[in-house]
Amino acid sequence: MAYTVGQVAKAAGVTVRTLHHYDEIGLLSPGGRSAAGYRRYDDADLDRLQLIRYYRELGFPLDEIAAILDDPASDPTAHLRRQHDLLTGRIGKLQDMVAAIELAMEARRMNISLTPEERFEVFGDFDPDAHADEARERWGESEAYRQSARRAAGYSKDDWLRIKAENEDWGRRFVEVMASGAPADSPAAMDLAEEHRQIISRWFYDCSYEIHTGLADMYLADPRFTAHYEKIRPGMAAYLAEAIHANAITRA
């Protein structure tokens, strides 16, 4: 079946100008022309356009997409498998970022009204303003961000100090388990990993086991979070990540 450029543009959610450009650069040339010289697209052209749109959504430049699609060694199944893997990886990364909302990164955008002295008492020498824009831009549309913002907006200085004390107490006990030589998948380590998840759920947002394991991976992938835990005790980031994964497998 043959389709006009207007029909293809409407069905694919792109502009006619975009299709003209793809034709001009050789990325998607229509399979035929009408007697009057108008572009006519066939089903194979639509399949190629779908692949182009997938790769564009993944951030690939047009010249790279052309090279991928025109590779004689590739096939449609391989393209779909590759896109599936890329999208799965992106989904995992987005889940990690959603789960990564921390109180210091939220402080200003959550309408926390603290004096400079109170802010120092709660956050120490960490500047939450340095990360507030990043948090809003990355996670502002997520339910976790909105839930955390709603809760935190009502917290007083005493609430933040309780959160701080609770986390410090948890950290002290977690370090003790590490120092005892217990493996990360031991009951003691997993119990504290579960407590870590519950602290997040209690104060900020509903932290599922899936989100929690995403957090664990982020502690190793993002050097800022790794440094935070390594400052408490060397090796803590990796140990905590392993304990979180083991806990999720056991309890989820």
Side-chain angles (χ1 to χ4, degrees), residues 181-204:
D185 60 353
S186 66
M190 288 192 292
D191 284 347
L192 284 170
E194 175 65 15
E195 184 178 335
H196 180 269
R197 187 183 71 85
Q198 292 176 1
I199 289 173
I200 296 172
S201 295
R202 181 163 58 254
W203 289 104
F204 297 106

Side-chain angles (χ1 to χ4, degrees), residues 32-50:
R33 297 271 178 171
S34 69
Y38 294 112
R39 295 171 175 85
R40 290 291 184 266
Y41 295 82
D42 57 27
D43 291 335
D45 296 328
L46 297 186
D47 288 341
R48 182 178 175 95
L49 178 57
Q50 185 179 45

Side-chain angles (χ1 to χ4, degrees), residues 57-242:
E57 287 293 325
L58 291 166
F60 282 70
L62 295 179
D63 57 347
E64 190 170 341
I65 295 174
I68 293 171
L69 296 183
D70 294 335
D71 181 357
S74 66
D75 62 74
T77 301
H79 285 305
L80 292 173
R81 185 180 301 112
R82 179 177 184 179
Q83 289 163 349
H84 178 273
D85 292 342
L86 290 170
L87 286 170
T88 300
R90 172 174 286 189
I91 290 169
K93 185 176 181 180
L94 289 173
Q95 288 174 334
D96 290 348
M97 290 191 295
V98 170
I101 303 171
E102 291 201 343
L103 71 91
M105 298 174 71
E106 311 305 305
R108 189 173 185 180
R109 296 299 178 184
M110 289 178 180
N111 299 317
I112 300 170
S113 180
L114 299 178
T115 67
E117 293 77 12
E118 290 172 333
R119 286 164 65 87
F120 182 81
E121 184 178 358
V122 172
F123 301 114
D125 58 1
F126 184 87
D127 181 12
D129 292 349
H131 302 285
D133 287 336
E134 177 186 352
R136 184 181 62 169
E137 290 174 5
R138 287 187 172 186
W139 309 303
E141 298 302 319
S142 70
E143 177 56 31
Y145 186 98
R146 290 190 291 268
Q147 186 180 28
S148 187
R150 287 193 299 269
R151 294 183 184 182
Y155 290 163
S156 66
K157 184 196 78 169
D158 289 340
D159 291 323
W160 288 109
L161 289 175
R162 278 195 291 273
I163 295 170
K164 180 181 179 182
E166 190 171 324
N167 276 283
E168 288 177 346
D169 176 65
W170 171 87
R172 176 187 55 77
R173 288 182 287 115
F174 193 82
V175 167
E176 288 177 354
V177 171
M178 287 184 65
S180 73
D185 60 353
S186 66
M190 288 192 292
D191 284 347
L192 284 170
E194 175 65 15
E195 184 178 335
H196 180 269
R197 187 183 71 85
Q198 292 176 1
I199 289 173
I200 296 172
S201 295
R202 181 163 58 254
W203 289 104
F204 297 106
Y205 53 88
D206 296 334
C207 185
S208 66
Y209 289 105
E210 183 178 8
I211 290 178
H212 203 211
T213 54
L215 265 177
D217 294 338
M218 186 204 62
Y219 293 156
L220 300 179
D222 190 321
R224 293 172 298 181
F225 292 99
T226 303
H228 167 74
Y229 287 109
E230 294 301 294
K231 186 176 180 180
I232 298 175
R233 181 182 173 89
M236 183 174 179
Y239 188 91
L240 175 57
E242 185 177 349

Side-chain angles (χ1 to χ4, degrees), residues 2-71:
Y3 307 89
T4 67
V5 67
Q7 290 173 323
V8 173
K10 183 177 180 180
V14 299
T15 65
V16 170
R17 184 175 180 178
T18 294
L19 292 175
H20 286 175
H21 178 61
Y22 288 174
D23 186 11
E24 290 166 1
I25 64 175
L27 178 60
L28 178 64
S29 297
R33 297 271 178 171
S34 69
Y38 294 112
R39 295 171 175 85
R40 290 291 184 266
Y41 295 82
D42 57 27
D43 291 335
D45 296 328
L46 297 186
D47 288 341
R48 182 178 175 95
L49 178 57
Q50 185 179 45
L51 292 173
I52 292 170
R53 292 185 63 228
Y54 286 157
Y55 280 116
R56 285 298 286 163
E57 287 293 325
L58 291 166
F60 282 70
L62 295 179
D63 57 347
E64 190 170 341
I65 295 174
I68 293 171
L69 296 183
D70 294 335
D71 181 357

